[in-house]
Amino acid sequence: MAGTRANSPADDGGLGADLHLDHVGLRGRHGLRDSLMAALREAVRTGRLQPGARLPPSRTLATDLGIARNTVAEAYAELVAEGWLTARQGSGTRVAPRAEPGRPPKAGSERVPLARPTPIRAPGTRYSLLPGNPDLSSFPRAHWLAAARRALTAAPHEALGYGDARGRVELRTALAGYLARARGVHATPDRIVVCAGFVHALRLIGAVLHGRGVRTVAVEAYGVPQYYDLLTDAGLRTPALPLDDHGTRTEELTDAGAVLLTPAHQYPTGGALSPDRRAGVVDWARATGGLVLEDDYDGEFRYDRQPVGALQGLDPERVVYFGTASKSLAPGLRLGWMVLPRSLTREVIAAKGHVDWAPGSFDQLTLAEFLTSGDYDRHVRAMRLRYRRRRDQLVAAVAERAPGIRVSGIAAGLHAVLDLPPGTERPVIAAAAKAGLALNGLGDFAHPSPGEPCRDGLVVGYATPSDSAWSGALAALCEVLPRFP
């Protein structure tokens, strides 16, 4: 791959420092910003850029690379948000002290909880704004069918057999490339395990952790109650970590053996984990031998800026990365995956062999074809535009009809939080049910620490309705919102 050498001012003594970036060969397939970010991540991973190393100013690097300064500035900003870099006034942009290089990968190599809270739809319900679902009416049926035909035509005979416990190699290979490109995940096919959705994956990890002697998995103060129940069923305690404006307070981790986080877009409150806390939780994992369980449930859908990359890229040996097709395509596909630390892979595969329920080979092959053909990217881009329009319509409607209500958590995802005055959450949900509108309150997701107050609010799944039902659902919501100055 071609490289570009950028000359940067030295920190001391005025000596020039060379920065060699292998990014030119990526320009044709990916944008310049993404290519530059990938090159910088790789330079840090391999140790060519050491912790504390100062990077060239954005203007200097842009001139040397022959690209726009804004492109460099945006790449730096995203990598700061992901925890790879730090930026402080007077100190410039540097490699984060914690961003240590990883080892290069080796070649080759009963009761089921619901995925999200989905209350039974009561008789008389006309509209649903429950979170956790994409717009199922927009599933790309024609493109999926075409991908299925191509995949079935090309499938080897052995695809009809029991196969590899990790999943089809075609899908694991396609996922490794996609996750590296789109989410900054450090993945190789031999470290990916395909599962029947996030619940299946978390069950496996819970069993493995318990088998290793772990007894405590810290969780976020707001999240999916079924996940906490699942971990409890595995014999694990789930103490809650409180949240503030910078995300989950990971600095309060103590004796837990692992922590379950949604760092890119906290579920359901909607904030991103701050760069300091992203780096801090990796520090904690390295110092204690703990594991970070990263649920990247809707990482493709960010609207106000480019996606915040996965935490896993900071230390692939201390983070278990979870992803699914549930939000990008449909939960009914039952397609999910884990990217595992090398030390955990064999144990998870062994556990999966004892609980052998997983997606069928042809569904896996179809998703692999959907990814490699570019259909997946095109679908995600189209849905991102559609969901952003809905988000904007929701914000505008609430501002007009109930201007005293703050809408938060809107930078990403498929839902928003409407903050309500204390004591009004349950009455609003009851009024909505009477009007035929299904809603969740923040209280449905609370798992607070002792003494931590619960917020009143609504978690509005604006992606859930079909296009034909959206305007009616939005109008019904506005009718039940409390009015106050």
Side-chain angles (χ1 to χ4, degrees), residues 82-449:
E82 293 175 15
W84 291 94
L85 306 178
T86 62
R88 287 179 173 82
Q89 189 70 30
S91 182
T93 302
R94 297 177 181 268
V95 177
R98 304 147 178 105
E100 298 171 1
R103 293 175 295 175
K106 297 179 181 178
S109 44
E110 337 66 314
R111 178 169 68 89
V112 180
L114 299 175
R116 301 282 172 194
T118 51
I120 296 174
R121 194 175 175 119
T125 298
R126 299 173 58 206
Y127 302 112
S128 174
L129 289 173
L130 298 175
N133 269 318
D135 176 4
L136 300 178
S137 69
S138 297
F139 182 81
R141 296 175 187 242
H143 292 293
W144 185 262
L145 181 59
R149 286 173 174 158
R150 294 193 301 270
L152 181 59
T153 300
H157 296 311
E158 53 93 10
L160 295 168
Y162 289 104
D164 192 321
R166 293 171 295 183
R168 291 297 308 176
V169 67
E170 296 91 342
L171 177 55
R172 291 186 284 115
T173 301
L175 284 170
Y178 172 76
L179 294 173
R181 169 171 57 82
R183 302 297 301 129
V185 171
H186 190 57
T188 54
D190 56 303
R191 294 170 64 174
I192 295 176
V193 173
V194 179
C195 304
F198 178 77
V199 165
H200 183 201
L202 192 60
R203 286 175 67 91
L204 294 173
I205 291 296
V208 168
L209 290 176
H210 189 269
R212 284 187 160 201
V214 172
R215 292 297 177 263
T216 302
V217 177
V219 299
E220 296 169 312
Y222 286 89
V224 180
Q226 286 89 339
Y227 297 171
Y228 309 153
D229 293 343
L230 185 154
L231 293 170
T232 300
D233 290 347
L236 301 163
R237 295 190 306 112
T238 58
L241 297 172
L243 305 171
D244 61 23
D245 291 341
H246 302 287
T248 303
R249 280 159 42 188
T250 52
E251 66 272 16
E252 298 192 17
L253 278 166
T254 53
D255 60 348
V259 57
L260 175 62
L261 296 173
T262 50
H265 187 226
Q266 203 285 322
Y267 190 86
T269 61
L273 193 63
S274 70
D276 285 348
R277 288 182 179 171
R278 287 167 68 95
V281 75
V282 170
D283 276 349
W284 165 84
R286 288 173 176 167
T288 64
L291 285 171
V292 181
L293 311 181
E294 178 180 14
D295 179 7
D296 194 34
Y297 65 99
D298 64 358
E300 292 99 339
F301 296 105
R302 194 160 195 95
Y303 310 119
D304 293 346
R305 58 177 175 171
Q306 293 296 325
V308 173
L311 180 67
Q312 188 265 6
L314 287 179
D315 195 333
E317 296 304 324
R318 298 256 55 96
V319 180
V320 179
Y321 176 89
F322 300 88
T324 76
S326 296
K327 304 300 175 287
S328 55
L329 289 169
L333 293 176
R334 311 310 307 144
L335 284 164
W337 45 86
M338 289 182 281
V339 182
L340 297 165
R342 191 173 289 105
S343 62
L344 210 62
T345 304
R346 185 173 298 178
E347 292 168 79
V348 171
I349 292 170
K352 188 169 184 281
H354 296 127
V355 189
D356 193 13
W357 47 291
S361 293
F362 288 138
D363 284 338
Q364 294 184 52
L365 291 171
T366 300
L367 180 57
E369 172 63 23
F370 207 66
L371 283 162
T372 55
S373 68
D375 283 340
Y376 186 87
D377 287 271
R378 285 186 284 273
H379 174 71
V380 167
R381 282 196 298 270
M383 298 310 296
R384 190 185 295 130
L385 290 172
R386 177 175 297 183
Y387 295 148
R388 180 171 184 165
R389 282 195 296 268
R390 289 193 183 183
R391 181 206 66 171
D392 292 346
Q393 290 165 356
L394 169 65
V395 171
V398 172
E400 179 183 352
R401 302 290 295 277
I405 292 178
R406 184 174 74 101
V407 184
S408 61
I410 59 174
L414 311 183
H415 68 273
V417 174
L418 275 58
D419 291 308
L420 297 177
T424 62
E425 178 182 306
R426 301 325 298 180
V428 168
I429 290 175
K434 190 175 294 187
L437 174 64
L439 281 174
N440 270 137
L442 267 175
D444 296 326
F445 303 91
H447 185 65
S449 301

